[in-house]
Amino acid sequence: DSKRRVRNSFQRFTPALVQSQQEKLKLEAQLRRAADNNEFHLVYQPQVDLRQGRIVAAEALIRWRNQQLGEMRPDHFIGHAENTGDIIRIGRWVLREACLQAARWRDAGLGIVRIAVNVSYRQFLGEDLAATVRDTLREFSLPGAALELEFTERVLIEDAPDTMRTFAELRALGVMLTIDDFGEGYSALNYLRRLPIHGLKLSQLFVSGVPGNSSDIAVCQAVAGIARSLALGVVAEGIETEAQRDFLLRLGVPVGQGFLFAPGLHADEFGYRMLEEQRRAG
Ligand code: C2E
Ligand code: MG
Ligand code: MG
Ligand code: MG
């Protein structure tokens, strides 16, 4: 019966749970000592100019070699380090090691090779990142341009109070800031391609800025491009001016709404407009 099944399933699964719990604790204990034991190193993946094949930067990727646990990929331990809080110390180590390497390359006459460092969201929240970066650059007499920081989309989504200030400070240092794996995890794009929907509404937030604001233009182009690629319809919201309408038309956005055409209307007024339009169309 079902009661016995439940009990059996407990008997079957509890040891495995305990074992995985023990493994987790073991990994976390090892992780805590890993930095002091010099068990981490970085590998550098070139970022290449696709036309000329030139290396323009390197992404630093952490590796962990442990006596008992062997060689481990970051996907197996970064999450644990985030949970325990060790990510802050590990992240500092990565940053310093990357800058040390950039300084070594510079001193070897290779010039400044920009190094991209991955920053965990937990690390971002857990320390004054701009201060740490400033101090580390200064330690090796490196310009900010020697460093790139890669953040996950969480930094966009969570909108923490200090995010803007920290990013502004990092920018002021000359550090390059990028969003890693854009569209992969927290963004709506992942759902976008899976959900059986018909279209997107291009937010007034961006429509209001065209055709004058270059970043709003970029977002409108991107949204229109995504919609086209996924064969979704797109409707622009909040069109208030003819310039906005013309811009969106040129972008291939076929449909829009906004005060330029009409505000929200009462049912009878709406009906009147419909009638009027039909009369005009003949
Ligand atoms: P990976 O080296 O195994 O790193 C996996 C992820 O762990 C990284 O994804 C990054 O999110 C995180 N990570 C690595 N180092 C650090 C670190 O120092 N601090 C923190 N907080 N997180 C870190 P990411 O950044 O997207 O890196 C690209 C991954 O894709 C790397 O895996 C890289 O080795 C791998 N990769 C690069 N080129 C290829 C390829 O052509 N094919 C495949 N399958 N994988 C590739
Ligand atoms: Mg990365
Ligand atoms: Mg990536
Ligand atoms: Mg990744």
Side-chain angles (χ1 to χ4, degrees):
D1 65 321
S2 73
K3 221 176 185 173
R4 182 141 108 232
R5 229 173 26 236
V6 168
R7 211 181 22 243
N8 281 345
S9 73
F10 265 103
Q11 282 169 350
R12 230 172 325 125
F13 287 118
T14 301
L17 277 176
V18 168
Q19 198 188 1
S20 75
Q21 184 66 16
Q22 280 171 347
E23 273 167 16
K24 177 172 168 272
L25 291 174
K26 184 171 147 192
L27 185 140
E28 289 176 357
Q30 295 291 333
L31 197 52
R32 202 160 305 134
R33 294 189 285 268
D36 291 337
N37 291 347
N38 287 319
E39 293 174 1
F40 293 126
H41 66 281
L42 297 180
V43 296
Y44 299 88
Q45 183 175 42
Q47 294 180 4
V48 174
D49 174 327
L50 292 180
R51 278 225 196 116
Q52 285 139 28
R54 275 185 321 121
I55 293 175
V56 295
E59 180 174 3
L61 298 162
I62 195 169
R63 297 291 179 261
W64 180 21
R65 205 180 290 133
N66 177 273
Q67 284 257 315
Q68 294 178 44
L69 301 167
E71 186 109 20
M72 268 162 303
R73 279 301 179 101
D75 286 335
H76 289 291
F77 64 84
I78 290 291
H80 290 285
E82 285 172 338
N83 290 336
T84 62
D86 287 319
I87 191 66
I88 294 171
R89 279 197 313 135
I90 295 172
R92 280 201 194 125
W93 179 85
V94 171
L95 182 69
R96 192 175 179 281
E97 181 69 16
C99 288
L100 175 61
Q101 186 57 61
R104 281 196 199 111
W105 282 334
R106 174 199 58 200
D107 296 344
L110 293 177
I112 299 289
V113 180
R114 186 174 71 245
I115 301 186
V117 168
N118 293 282
V119 179
S120 137
Y121 185 68
R122 179 72 200 275
Q123 179 190 350
F124 177 77
L125 289 185
E127 68 168 344
D128 186 344
L129 185 64
T132 303
V133 166
R134 188 188 309 113
D135 293 346
T136 310
L137 289 170
R138 193 173 291 156
E139 181 184 351
F140 298 103
S141 305
L142 286 168
L147 193 64
E148 177 174 341
L149 298 177
E150 298 189 3
F151 298 89
T152 63
E153 284 172 284
R154 258 189 95 174
V155 88
L156 305 174
I157 303 299
E158 310 262 340
D159 198 19
D162 288 342
T163 300
M164 278 302 161
R165 189 177 50 80
T166 301
F167 271 59
E169 288 173 6
L170 289 167
R171 259 197 92 106
L173 292 171
V175 172
M176 204 168 156
L177 308 171
T178 52
I179 303 296
D180 204 356
D181 302 332
F182 179 73
E184 193 179 281
Y186 294 87
S187 122
L189 287 173
N190 188 31
Y191 290 106
L192 202 55
R193 70 185 166 93
R194 284 164 44 198
L195 284 180
I197 56 168
H198 295 99
L200 306 174
K201 295 190 78 168
L202 177 52
S203 167
Q204 175 173 9
L205 191 62
F206 309 111
V207 170
S208 67
V210 298
N213 181 293
S214 61
S215 52
D216 288 344
I217 290 175
V219 172
C220 288
Q221 286 171 334
V223 172
I226 287 165
R228 200 177 309 119
S229 304
L230 296 177
L232 297 172
V234 53
V235 176
E237 292 181 281
I239 300 176
E240 295 184 353
T241 69
E242 292 183 350
Q244 288 168 350
R245 180 199 58 197
D246 293 346
F247 172 84
L248 292 160
L249 262 176
R250 281 199 301 278
L251 216 56
V253 175
V255 183
Q257 61 190 62
F259 289 172
L260 178 65
F261 312 109
L265 303 170
H266 286 291
D268 50 358
E269 198 184 350
F270 187 85
Y272 176 77
R273 288 223 188 181
M274 294 279 289
L275 277 176
E276 201 180 44
E277 235 167 66
Q278 278 171 19
R279 203 178 304 126
R280 241 188 294 139

